[in-house]
Amino acid sequence: MRSGLPTDLGAAARAYLDAFPKGDVVAFPIHPLDRLGLPVWVVALFPEDEALSGIMPYGVGYGATDEAAVLGGLGEIAEMVWPTLTLGSRAKTRGSFTTLVATLGERSVADPLTLCLPAGSPVDRDTVLEWVEAKRWTDGSTVLVPIDLAAYSAKELSPGYRPFTTIISNGMGAGPDLDWAIGHGLCEILQRDGNGLLFRALDRGVSLTLNADVPASSRAILDRFDAAGIRAMPKFATDQYGMPNLYCVGIDTRDAPAAPIMVTACGEACNADREAALNKCLTEFAASRARKAFAHGPADLVAQVAPDGYVARFMAQAGGAAKSSDGRAFAAMQDWTRRDAGELRDWLAGSVLSERSRHDFSALPSRPVADGHARAQAARAAVEAAGFDILYVDMSPPDRAVTVAKVIVPGMEVETMSYYRIGTRNTEKLLALGSPLIRFGEETDTLRRIRLPELDAERLGHPLFDTEAADRLVGPLYPLYREPEAHHVAWAEAQG
């Protein structure tokens, strides 16, 4: 059964719907929770397949039209469904990097010391792990990668296997074909690799100066914010590899938001086309406002847009998704939901909402990107020119009606401030910034050895990551990094 979907969906949306496993699809707009009016939709699949028990496939999509928003939500469902239905049953290889290399050769096995291990991790090249097959985008050759990085949820792991890091979805991509899906996942990795140490709690306060060269499409979105009494603040993270990496936050200047948590909204983007990057971060900021209100706001607010019984049905299906497993995120979000907008804004004032310098939009590098294929081509060229190896795990349905892939780029780094994952590049970035997060000397419970390839460890002096300092810097802002699954906090509050 399908309910709530627009009647005039195009071929791309229908392809996703036809590819999904049996179940009820429920869709509805959530943008009425905010005063901006930009389309934001929730699309959920309540599956019949027992293999998906504990996985609640849903997506929040946004765009210039209702169809674009629904399409984005459908893509997120595909990224949740197909890893469990394909990777969970796929053959896995058990062994250490050292033993596998002896049989297959170094080019055929990803070195765990290049995969951004958590500081203090006991994992090394002799640790026995479970591995799955990935492909190299350049030539299609096979490379074994730890399932710890390929999985979307714990359901894809063998019984009893404990991953070396918290499972995350960063790098997932979906689309009509492989290049589109890989490009989608790669841009997500670039986005977080580029901004991870430069925004949120570590925000440098670099605001974009938008002059007459701002595209009309972006100006229209900014005008909408102005009319709604919201000061949008597009900001600059980096343009490494010639890829503008932008984000947008904002301040309600006239009326209070429908839910206090909306003041913490943020939109991110990384795209070779600076105009596309600006449009995405602005639109995603708008979507983030509505999404946060819906996912973590009070039950009476959610009831204004959700069908009757939706949240109870959601909670009955949910339980094993990747984002449900972070107890720290749940506790911190629970605290957030008990704060008013003024308190949350005060926490953001010295970092997220700071403005210390400016960067001209017109100074950003830019290359026209017409569609997802061009976006993928531009990102691939930039990353490969910088010497990185792009790997992907294909998790598409057997009939390949749509394509789903998880992208892994050894050497690129995410989740340093949340899960203490850090490798050579983030160590070097923090050293260049003179950050107190990098220390030297003897290991302790909170000064943890950064797991690096031997030559890098020697060159950098065997650095340590100060987890206590990281927690102090993040402070109450942890939900900016990791959020609990939607509705879980409000549901727990309602249950007492």
Side-chain angles (χ1 to χ4, degrees):
M1 184 177 72
R2 299 172 183 175
S3 63
L5 289 164
T7 57
D8 56 348
L9 292 176
R14 293 197 303 272
Y16 278 121
L17 289 165
D18 293 343
F20 289 160
K22 291 182 179 179
D24 293 346
V25 175
V26 178
F28 50 94
I30 63 170
H31 53 265
L33 294 176
D34 202 5
R35 54 186 186 270
L36 283 163
L38 288 166
V40 187
W41 280 67
V42 165
V43 188
L45 168 68
F46 294 94
E48 297 177 9
D49 194 330
E50 281 299 313
L52 292 168
S53 175
I55 299 290
M56 180 57 241
Y58 77 101
V60 180
Y62 57 90
T65 64
D66 288 337
E67 180 175 5
V70 168
L71 183 60
L74 293 171
E76 290 194 348
I77 291 176
E79 292 172 9
M80 295 182 75
V81 165
W82 291 111
T84 297
L85 295 182
T86 61
L87 192 61
S89 60
R90 191 171 299 176
K92 302 171 183 70
T93 300
R94 197 170 183 87
S96 70
F97 172 80
T98 301
T99 57
L100 293 172
V101 164
T103 303
L104 303 173
E106 284 196 23
R107 197 168 185 270
S108 297
V109 190
D111 184 349
L113 295 178
T114 67
L115 299 177
C116 197
L117 295 171
S121 171
V123 171
D124 61 20
R125 290 169 173 158
D126 295 320
T127 303
V128 174
L129 303 171
E130 283 198 347
W131 308 73
V132 293
E133 285 192 359
K135 298 290 185 181
R136 185 172 276 110
W137 201 7
T138 53
D139 58 14
S141 58
T142 297
V143 184
L144 292 182
V145 298
I147 195 170
D148 315 54
L149 301 184
Y152 186 92
S153 83
K155 290 184 73 70
E156 289 115 63
L157 307 178
S158 296
Y161 183 78
R162 298 186 63 182
F164 59 65
T165 187
T166 306
I167 294 171
I168 61 172
S169 59
N170 185 258
M172 290 297 308
D177 54 49
L178 200 55
D179 280 354
W180 189 296
I182 297 172
H184 179 175
L186 178 59
C187 284
E188 187 175 272
I189 288 176
L190 282 166
Q191 182 175 286
R192 293 294 173 85
D193 175 82
N195 67 24
L197 298 177
L198 300 173
F199 81 148
R200 296 176 176 164
L202 301 180
D203 197 305
R204 299 176 304 156
V206 184
S207 296
L208 274 183
T209 297
L210 304 177
N211 295 316
D213 57 348
V214 173
S217 55
S218 299
R219 179 55 60 194
I221 301 171
L222 290 165
D223 289 345
R224 188 185 289 259
F225 279 114
D226 288 342
I230 300 166
R231 185 163 80 88
M233 301 166 60
K235 302 177 86 173
F236 170 77
T238 181
D239 55 9
Q240 64 179 0
Y241 319 126
M243 301 278 291
N245 192 322
L246 312 178
Y247 59 103
C248 183
V249 294
I251 298 173
D252 293 81
T253 60
R254 190 173 65 226
D255 302 312
I261 194 173
M262 295 166 76
V263 307
T264 70
C266 179
E268 303 171 53
C270 184
N271 197 307
D273 186 331
R274 67 189 181 201
E275 295 185 5
L278 180 58
N279 278 349
K280 179 180 181 291
C281 77
L282 291 171
T283 311
E284 188 173 278
F285 167 58
S288 178
R289 288 173 57 91
R291 180 192 65 76
K292 288 197 173 193
F294 179 76
H296 307 298
D300 57 347
L301 185 68
V302 174
Q304 294 178 19
V305 292
D308 289 345
Y310 170 82
V311 173
R313 193 179 184 189
F314 183 105
M315 292 300 299
Q317 174 67 30
K323 295 179 183 177
S324 299
S325 60
D326 189 337
R328 182 183 174 191
F330 183 92
M333 182 61 77
Q334 197 169 43
D335 183 44
W336 271 23
T337 60
R338 297 167 180 168
R339 307 284 178 166
D340 62 32
E343 288 179 284
L344 294 176
R345 252 194 315 267
D346 287 345
W347 285 348
L348 302 175
S351 54
V352 174
L353 300 179
S354 66
E355 295 179 281
R356 301 184 181 94
S357 63
R358 307 201 68 83
H359 190 99
D360 283 347
F361 176 75
S362 59
L364 294 172
S366 191
R367 170 180 170 180
V369 171
D371 58 18
H373 291 117
R375 176 185 64 181
Q377 183 181 24
R380 175 179 178 175
V383 170
E384 289 179 350
F388 291 96
D389 206 8
I390 305 167
L391 313 177
Y392 67 91
V393 181
D394 191 344
M395 305 180 192
S396 306
D399 63 2
R400 306 198 68 80
V402 295
T403 304
V404 178
K406 177 73 173 287
V407 180
I408 299 166
V409 183
M412 290 201 170
E413 307 185 25
V414 297
E415 301 302 339
T416 295
M417 298 303 290
S418 54
Y419 300 148
Y420 314 139
R421 291 179 60 187
I422 182 169
T424 300
R425 291 175 59 252
N426 273 5
T427 301
E428 291 175 333
K429 288 178 183 179
L430 290 171
L431 285 170
L433 292 169
S435 171
L437 296 172
I438 303 299
R439 303 276 296 278
F440 298 91
E442 297 298 319
E443 286 187 87
T444 68
D445 287 345
T446 60
L447 293 177
R448 302 181 188 177
R449 184 73 60 197
I450 298 174
R451 310 293 292 129
L452 304 175
E454 185 176 349
L455 290 178
D456 288 343
E458 290 284 350
R459 176 173 59 83
L460 296 174
H462 300 282
L464 308 171
F465 186 72
D466 190 335
T467 61
E468 186 176 47
D471 291 348
R472 189 166 55 249
L473 283 168
V474 170
L477 302 184
Y478 189 74
L480 294 180
Y481 293 90
R482 307 305 301 172
E483 294 181 22
E485 185 65 277
H487 310 306
H488 279 53
V489 169
W491 185 263
E493 294 286 294
Q495 303 306 307

